[in-house]
Amino acid sequence: NFTNDKIKYETFSIYEVVLLKSKEIIRDIIEDITLGKYKVDERMPSESQLAIKYNCNRHTIRKVTENLIERGYLRRIHGGPTYINSLPSNHSLNFSSLLELYGESSVTSKVVKFKLEIATPEICNMLKLDEGSKVWSIIRIRYVSTTPSHTEETFIPYSLLPDLKEEDCLHSLLHYVENSFDYEVSHAIKNISAIKLSKKDCEYLQLPEDSLALQIENTGYLTNGRPYEYSINKHRDNNITYYAKR
């Protein structure tokens, strides 16, 4: 429901209301694209039509369109009409991307490990922690519909998120970090490699023993330069296509 909601927005500034509205519209359009409501190469509705649909001004729609063009969902040639692109990725690198690609109702998670542990020297090095520091050790399986997409083994400093609960791990930890605390995520460094899955990982991903997979190591950083997570994701599919823009 995109009607004006004074109760919902009354505690926010005008700038914050516009920002929230834009995010809602972006999520809605992405979901329509990923669900096939908009077809590849189909012309998008005009700014005026979208402004009426979402009960906002054309400037907000223009900003939304620019965001979706930047992310590869839409394209515009020489200032002309806007068209639907093929999805910028046929395989997602993280949970938030899965939500964008398939919609919240299609993506689920299973937590198979949630434990507070003393970090190994390797994990201390990745997270810039002192020897003997505690970390949350988490293993999750991400599903699209009923098919496992990938496993995620994640390590998070206990000192950063002391109140983390297992149920929080069913959703995006990035969103948890940014929405529950005064933290802001800056960037991540990823390393992608080919591996042979362990017997346990094959069971998690419902694959034959000794299957090959893509492994993505990810170190996420806050704006102050501190690492907030180190994760190892093992993907069921053996290829990744991604959109990159200079």
Side-chain angles (χ1 to χ4, degrees), residues 80-237:
T82 304
Y83 295 90
I84 308 299
N85 264 344
S86 57
L87 289 177
S89 170
N90 65 8
H91 188 100
S92 65
L93 302 185
N94 54 49
F95 184 63
S96 299
S97 298
L98 280 179
L99 292 177
E100 286 189 359
L101 283 174
Y102 300 107
E104 189 170 358
S105 62
S106 299
V107 180
T108 57
S109 302
K110 179 181 179 181
V111 180
V112 296
K113 179 183 178 182
F114 180 78
K115 189 176 181 181
L116 187 61
E117 298 179 340
I118 301 298
T120 65
E122 177 188 8
I123 299 302
C124 285
N125 180 60
M126 298 303 297
L127 293 174
K128 310 301 181 190
L129 298 173
D130 294 332
E131 183 179 350
S133 295
K134 294 180 180 180
V135 293
W136 293 112
S137 178
I138 306 157
I139 297 178
R140 296 173 289 179
I141 307 172
R142 303 298 199 184
Y143 295 85
V144 177
S145 297
T146 58
T147 303
S149 167
H150 62 276
T151 64
E152 294 182 7
E153 183 175 14
T154 306
F155 301 92
I156 296 177
Y158 172 75
S159 58
L160 193 69
L161 302 177
D163 299 322
L164 185 67
K165 298 179 177 60
E166 183 171 341
E167 52 265 33
D168 298 322
C169 302
L170 293 171
H171 311 287
S172 168
L173 286 176
L174 185 152
H175 289 167
Y176 176 82
V177 168
E178 290 195 317
N179 295 333
S180 301
F181 301 90
D182 190 22
Y183 298 139
E184 185 176 349
V185 174
S186 168
H187 66 284
I189 297 175
K190 299 180 185 290
N191 180 63
I192 304 175
S193 58
I195 62 163
K196 184 168 75 172
L197 291 170
S198 68
K199 182 178 180 180
K200 179 59 71 175
D201 286 325
C202 287
E203 292 176 5
Y204 288 154
L205 296 174
Q206 300 174 14
L207 292 171
E209 284 191 33
D210 298 326
S211 290
L212 301 179
L214 285 179
Q215 175 174 282
I216 301 173
E217 295 179 78
N218 178 81
T219 307
Y221 293 85
L222 302 176
T223 50
N224 61 10
R226 179 179 181 179
Y228 76 93
E229 75 157 7
Y230 170 65
S231 63
I232 304 168
N233 300 349
K234 297 170 184 177
H235 289 255
R236 195 175 196 276
D237 292 343

